[in-house]
Amino acid sequence: DAGVTQSPTHLIKTRGQHVTLRCSPISGHKSVSWYQQVLGQGPQFIFQYYEKEERGRGNFPDRFSARQFPNYSSELNVNALLLGDSALYLCASSWRLAGFFTDTQYFGPGTRLTVL
Amino acid sequence: ELKVEQNPLFLSMQEGKNYTIYCNYSTTSDRLYWYRQDPGKSLESLFVLLSNGAVKQEGRLMASLDTKARLSTLHITAAVHDLSATYFCAANSGGGADGLTFGKGTHLIIQP
């Protein structure tokens, strides 16, 4: 079975630009979460979507937004990119709403975003 | 606000030795996760610990949870080079949908 997939794998943008990252969850999983991992740090929670609705949000500015589609895939959008947005962006999927249930979150390979 | 602290952050050890990684968390959490990350790779789930006193073992790794002390440990027995990686613990602030809070990770190097 395919795991969580993300695209693109690498991306280079300049300050002020906009970026869209994509994630496809494991088949049958309805929850998708997004995390930002800065080099040398642990992942930091950005959003969780379940059944196409935002169910949780971390401490990130409004420049960060996301959505989930009817097929449970998800997009993360970041506007007005800053140098500090350079990071590995990880998508994780779980069968049910992570946090309310004990389902393991399975992580995708990530998208490495570099902002110049 | 839930905070998760790991120590040590860096560990270099020899093959065949035993060692323990510690994970403290600041507020009540009803579950604790351990993940492994290889350089340039994503996170691989190792253990989910759900209750006080829970102990899980997989090969040379054993994880335990003490919810009263708000402490989880990851014990490595007779380390081998293949276990070299960064290990993260993560907790969830009980019952919310706000995702996992991760520690900074323990960068483990196992030398022959």
Side-chain angles (χ1 to χ4, degrees), chain A residues 61-90:
Chain A
D62 291 343
R63 299 185 297 107
F64 288 77
S65 63
R67 55 180 175 168
Q68 186 177 34
F69 299 99
N71 66 354
Y72 302 109
S73 67
S74 177
E75 283 183 353
L76 175 69
N77 295 285
V78 186
N79 292 323
L81 285 167
L82 303 173
L83 295 179
D85 295 331
S86 295
L88 179 67
Y89 287 85
L90 295 164

Side-chain angles (χ1 to χ4, degrees), chain A residues 35 37 41-43 45 48 55-57 90 98-105 107-109, chain B residues 31 33 35 37 41-43 45 48 50 88 92 94-100 102-104:
Chain A
Y35 291 81
Q37 186 178 20
Q41 300 290 321
F45 172 71
Q48 178 172 196
R55 299 302 187 102
R57 171 186 277 259
L90 295 164
F100 285 100
F101 301 98
T102 59
D103 301 355
T104 297
Q105 289 188 304
F107 284 80
Chain B
R31 62 206 72 166
Y33 301 80
Y35 285 87
Q37 187 175 37
K41 305 289 187 182
S42 189
L43 284 86
S45 176
V48 181
L50 301 177
F88 291 96
N92 178 273
D98 284 345
L100 299 176
F102 283 80
K104 291 186 176 180

Side-chain angles (χ1 to χ4, degrees), chain B residues 2 19 24-25 42 48-49 59 69-70 74 87-88 101 104:
Chain B
L2 175 62
Y19 210 80
N24 290 91
Y25 53 97
S42 189
V48 181
L49 303 168
R70 296 179 185 164
L74 181 66
Y87 293 86
F88 291 96
T101 299
K104 291 186 176 180

Side-chain angles (χ1 to χ4, degrees), chain B residues 39-89:
Chain B
K41 305 289 187 182
S42 189
L43 284 86
E44 174 191 355
S45 176
L46 295 174
F47 301 108
V48 181
L49 303 168
L50 301 177
S51 60
N52 188 43
V55 176
K56 289 196 174 180
Q57 184 163 4
E58 181 73 33
R60 300 174 188 275
L61 300 178
M62 183 174 70
S64 66
L65 179 62
D66 181 344
T67 57
K68 293 178 183 175
R70 296 179 185 164
L71 171 69
S72 180
T73 61
L74 181 66
H75 186 74
I76 303 155
T77 302
V80 293
H81 178 68
D82 286 352
L83 291 179
S84 296
T86 298
Y87 293 86
F88 291 96
C89 66

